[in-house]
Amino acid sequence: MQDAILRLVSETVDVVIKTHPFAEILYWGPHLRHFSPQDAATLSRPVANGRLDVDSPVTLMAELGHGLFGSPGIEGHRQGMDGSPVFTTTAVTQQGQSLTIAAEDTHAGLRLTSEIDLEESGVLRVRHGVTNLRPQAWQVDRLAITLPVAERAQEVMAFHGRWIREFQPHRLRLEHDSFVIENRRGKTSHEHFPALITGTPSFNEMQGDVWGVHLGWSGNHRLRAEVKTDGRRYLQAEALYLPGEIAIAEGKTLWTPNLYASYSAQGLNGMSQQFHRYLRENIIRFPDNKPRPVHLNTWEGIYFNHDPAYIMRMADEAAALGVERFIIDDGWFKGRNDDHAALGDWYLDEKKYPDGLTPVVRHVKALGMEFGIWVEPEMINPNSDLYRAHPDWVLALPGYEQATGRHQLVLNLNIPQAFDYLLERMSWLLGEHQVDYVKWDMNRELVQPGHNGKAAADAQTRQFYRLLDVLGERFPHIEFESCSSGGGRIDYEVLTRCHRFWASDNNDALERNTIQRGMSYFFPPEVMGAHIGHHKCHATFRQHSIAFRGLTALFGHMGLELDPLAVDEQEREGYRHYAALHKQWREVIHTGTQWRIDMPDATTLATGIVSQDQGQGLFIISQLRMPDYTLMMPLRMPGLEAGAQYRITLLDHPNIRLTGEGGHTMRKLPAWMDAPQTVSGEWLMQAGIALPVLDPETAILIGVERV
């Protein structure tokens, strides 16, 4: 029995797996310093009366044939036969902290390959592959990854959202049955980010046992947290297949997407920090490892109104403000004067650009900036030359009328000619012009996605990956942004092919505070696009000071989303100031350890980032609404070196005025704001500093530096 018990080890997390006669995770929790394989015998379960006379394991595949009676990991059939497989282990290979387990069901003619890796970060990566061993195809209805969690994980946290309000967390107590997230929009979606977090009751940022999972997949998905009637609990994640979509031919293998899982004994921050470290070590790759350039994107500045001379003047001003990458958004290709027409016609609009795009690109480059451009290759407008020539290239089922979304349909990338057309036009755009960056949009859900009369959402997603893969190989120096109306396609799998996400189409700083915080649970700041928008937000019409907008955009991949020529000098000076401030702290923000700080007042959000060497820390406190109390509670600063001394510096703040000087919030400032103070890291972590009373929709930025 002992040789059937294997352990994967990291500094913080261990996973113990029983491999024979079937594979079952026995333990997933804190690192064990004194483990021996025989210890696992203590978890041999009793058999309850009134049930089966044998134990029912929750295996890696969670087969119904073992008597699971919950949500199985595999469902399918071979023309009604072989519909309840049970896999027996045939081979086990361990290399370091990577484990491959092969299993078969000879009766059903199926082989299961499970890959399990425990990374140095503490993140567990799991995927399954099912191979058909028989001549007749095996129809797949479901293929999921199942991870057991401890019985003390009684609370579930997930994320809901919508366009311009993504990554909104919600919680529930889960004591019986299931909590399920299902997404059928054909992309990761604004509504249902593919992640679940479960933990001990009332877990928070700093405390509690937490298990978090994320499915790296940019299409339809289903995630489940389930409590069995015997009290055992598990998390389950899968690509969601439409009816008849997937069948495995003889000798072929269907792989699940990768499931990424993080356990933390230090609350949500510990979970997030492991995910961030994993991404930085294994997925995020920036060409030449260069700092993230400050952007200016033209969309909310000029929309479809493109005049090369004016755009070059915008570039002049952008460079003067400290912008490092200039992006021309929608409206550059022929016939694109609004969002009703021209998607698919990827040729330069010669009326707008009579001398071509090259003079603009050269002008941008001469100013010392990189050049970027917007595309939306997967979409097609019915009002386009491409649609008029190839109406059969639409992703659809025959006989049905497709509803448009934003006046557009979806191009079927499973048609070789359609794929080759896009590859040729994108290669022209990126090969004939000195493009450094591509903002890749995707604005419509997949409704009745079909190819040759069969459902094809999964196949469409894979073809999108293939298109990005080919372009990435041809143009390795070009960076790609996954935009998709903001938060519509954000996940770890697309991140293997891109370098940045547009977090939301909403640049409203108040809304951005919660959107960006929600995104931070799974993604570090350097891949999160965060822009300063116009003082009157285009999405909500809410108005904010440049200070609140600038500080809110600071903790991401910073940019501007506006026309810098159309605002007054005070606004421009604000853009210049916050671009410079971001650059000053960019290395800390994009490489440091992020901390979300629990505050006793729900109207206050506090976030910190501490450099890897603990020499510097940057903390932002955002007051979203009127506070519940007349005084702000002290800010404790986690992640510092206890024995070191730190100088506290006020880096940026709203225009605070005291009573008697025309103000309204305070008669007296905290002492550290009047005279510099130097205190120990231990004191800052355990006691903290007093905060000034902040008005709604303002923020304050505080720095600490080791002396």
Side-chain angles (χ1 to χ4, degrees), residues 564-619:
L565 300 174
V567 296
D568 60 31
E569 181 55 36
Q570 184 179 356
E571 276 281 294
R572 286 197 293 272
E573 182 54 41
Y575 309 151
R576 188 178 296 109
H577 168 75
Y578 288 105
L581 185 62
H582 177 77
K583 290 176 185 178
Q584 180 186 345
W585 287 90
R586 178 165 49 192
E587 184 176 357
V588 173
I589 295 169
H590 291 173
T591 64
T593 302
Q594 187 169 23
W595 296 89
R596 293 175 303 271
I597 301 165
D598 292 302
M599 299 294 283
D601 192 332
T603 67
T604 308
L605 287 187
T607 303
I609 299 180
V610 178
S611 63
Q612 292 182 6
D613 65 359
Q614 298 178 297
Q616 292 176 294
L618 188 66
F619 295 85

Side-chain angles (χ1 to χ4, degrees), residues 137-395:
W138 199 78
Q139 182 71 49
V140 181
D141 296 330
R142 292 184 58 222
L143 184 60
I145 300 166
T146 304
L147 292 179
V149 295
E151 288 75 10
R152 61 187 182 277
Q154 298 176 352
E155 196 168 311
V156 174
M157 177 176 169
F159 298 86
H160 65 277
R162 64 177 180 88
W163 176 66
I164 65 171
R165 199 168 186 267
E166 296 82 0
F167 287 104
Q168 304 297 310
H170 59 276
R171 293 190 183 215
L172 65 130
R173 189 73 178 247
L174 187 62
E175 296 178 335
H176 301 282
D177 304 314
S178 300
F179 171 74
V180 180
I181 297 171
E182 291 192 351
N183 168 53
R184 290 180 172 82
R185 294 178 180 268
K187 56 182 179 178
T188 318
S189 92
H190 304 263
E191 293 79 9
H192 305 296
F193 177 68
L196 279 177
I197 301 167
T198 187
T200 48
S202 301
F203 64 85
N204 58 26
E205 302 294 353
M206 302 292 291
Q207 296 178 324
D209 287 316
V210 171
W211 293 261
V213 298
H214 165 66
L215 187 68
W217 178 241
S218 308
N220 295 333
H221 57 256
R222 179 187 290 115
L223 284 87
R224 180 187 306 265
E226 182 159 317
V227 183
K228 288 170 53 67
T229 56
D230 60 20
R232 284 181 287 171
R233 298 160 182 268
Y234 56 84
L235 300 175
Q236 196 172 74
E238 64 198 280
L240 190 155
Y241 302 127
L242 300 177
E245 190 170 15
I246 303 293
I248 310 174
E250 182 182 14
K252 299 297 184 181
T253 302
L254 173 67
W255 287 98
T256 68
N258 284 309
L259 183 67
Y260 302 89
S262 174
Y263 163 78
S264 165
Q266 286 80 44
L268 290 162
N269 278 315
M271 178 203 77
S272 295
Q273 289 162 9
Q274 290 182 171
F275 278 133
H276 292 187
R277 180 184 169 187
Y278 174 81
L279 291 179
R280 287 168 171 171
E281 292 178 350
N282 297 277
I283 290 182
I284 297 173
R285 295 290 183 269
F286 300 130
D288 302 322
N289 208 25
K290 63 187 178 188
R292 304 292 77 215
V294 174
H295 281 199
L296 186 141
N297 192 63
T298 65
W299 175 240
E300 290 189 0
I302 58 173
Y303 290 102
F304 301 100
N305 185 22
H306 286 222
D307 174 7
Y310 190 85
I311 290 173
M312 286 189 279
R313 287 180 57 207
M314 290 175 67
D316 292 337
E317 185 59 38
L321 297 176
V323 169
E324 298 161 307
R325 179 183 282 158
F326 187 88
I327 301 105
I328 291 180
D329 211 294
D330 198 350
W332 60 267
F333 49 103
K334 69 171 187 176
R336 187 65 167 173
N337 300 312
D338 52 41
D339 61 5
H340 290 257
L343 283 175
D345 298 341
W346 299 107
Y347 298 85
L348 189 66
D349 191 323
E350 295 179 355
K351 293 181 180 178
K352 295 179 181 178
Y353 294 89
D355 299 320
L357 194 59
T358 298
V360 178
V361 178
R362 288 175 176 170
H363 185 80
V364 168
K365 299 256 185 194
L367 292 166
M369 297 185 292
E370 295 182 6
F371 177 79
I373 198 159
W374 176 97
V375 295
E376 194 176 2
E378 300 154 82
M379 300 297 147
I380 183 171
N381 285 121
N383 183 10
S384 66
D385 292 344
L386 185 67
Y387 182 85
R388 285 183 281 271
H390 300 286
D392 55 325
W393 284 10
V394 171
L395 185 73

Side-chain angles (χ1 to χ4, degrees), residues 332-602:
W332 60 267
F333 49 103
K334 69 171 187 176
R336 187 65 167 173
N337 300 312
D338 52 41
D339 61 5
H340 290 257
L343 283 175
D345 298 341
W346 299 107
Y347 298 85
L348 189 66
D349 191 323
E350 295 179 355
K351 293 181 180 178
K352 295 179 181 178
Y353 294 89
D355 299 320
L357 194 59
T358 298
V360 178
V361 178
R362 288 175 176 170
H363 185 80
V364 168
K365 299 256 185 194
L367 292 166
M369 297 185 292
E370 295 182 6
F371 177 79
I373 198 159
W374 176 97
V375 295
E376 194 176 2
E378 300 154 82
M379 300 297 147
I380 183 171
N381 285 121
N383 183 10
S384 66
D385 292 344
L386 185 67
Y387 182 85
R388 285 183 281 271
H390 300 286
D392 55 325
W393 284 10
V394 171
L395 185 73
L397 292 175
Y400 297 90
E401 183 177 350
Q402 277 273 326
T404 57
R406 200 176 170 186
H407 315 292
Q408 60 197 48
L409 302 170
V410 182
L411 199 62
N412 186 354
L413 302 186
N414 302 288
I415 298 172
Q417 298 88 335
F419 185 97
D420 292 344
Y421 167 79
L422 285 184
L423 181 58
E424 186 272 328
R425 296 317 304 156
M426 293 300 106
S427 296
W428 160 81
L429 176 64
L430 306 183
E432 296 297 319
H433 306 87
Q434 293 182 323
V435 174
D436 303 291
Y437 176 85
V438 175
K439 180 182 178 183
W440 190 294
D441 217 336
M442 191 274 199
N443 284 302
R444 183 185 178 274
E445 289 85 1
L446 307 188
V447 182
Q448 287 185 312
H451 176 60
N452 293 335
K454 295 180 62 178
D458 182 89
Q460 180 78 1
T461 303
R462 295 180 188 277
Q463 291 298 331
F464 157 68
Y465 288 159
R466 184 166 76 93
L467 182 57
L468 269 186
D469 287 341
V470 176
L471 290 172
E473 290 171 3
R474 288 187 181 182
F475 308 101
H477 65 286
I478 293 180
E479 296 186 25
F480 291 86
E481 173 185 295
S482 177
C483 176
S484 192
S485 302
R489 191 153 60 191
I490 296 177
D491 61 84
Y492 286 9
E493 185 61 27
V494 75
L495 186 56
T496 64
R497 299 164 172 87
C498 71
H499 305 85
R500 183 185 198 258
F501 296 112
W502 186 224
S504 178
D505 277 349
N506 192 350
N507 287 316
D508 181 317
L510 181 62
E511 298 295 336
R512 274 283 183 147
N513 265 276
T514 53
I515 292 168
Q516 294 175 182
R517 190 180 185 89
M519 188 172 174
S520 76
Y521 286 100
F522 292 88
F523 298 91
E526 63 266 31
V527 298
M528 180 179 68
H531 288 187
I532 302 173
H534 193 267
H535 63 85
K536 185 178 181 180
C537 175
H538 287 209
T540 65
F541 292 169
R542 190 185 275 127
Q543 300 191 53
H544 289 124
S545 69
I546 182 57
F548 191 50
R549 286 176 285 141
L551 289 176
T552 300
L554 197 72
F555 275 57
H557 182 180
M558 189 184 217
L560 307 176
E561 188 84 20
L562 43 78
D563 178 1
L565 300 174
V567 296
D568 60 31
E569 181 55 36
Q570 184 179 356
E571 276 281 294
R572 286 197 293 272
E573 182 54 41
Y575 309 151
R576 188 178 296 109
H577 168 75
Y578 288 105
L581 185 62
H582 177 77
K583 290 176 185 178
Q584 180 186 345
W585 287 90
R586 178 165 49 192
E587 184 176 357
V588 173
I589 295 169
H590 291 173
T591 64
T593 302
Q594 187 169 23
W595 296 89
R596 293 175 303 271
I597 301 165
D598 292 302
M599 299 294 283
D601 192 332

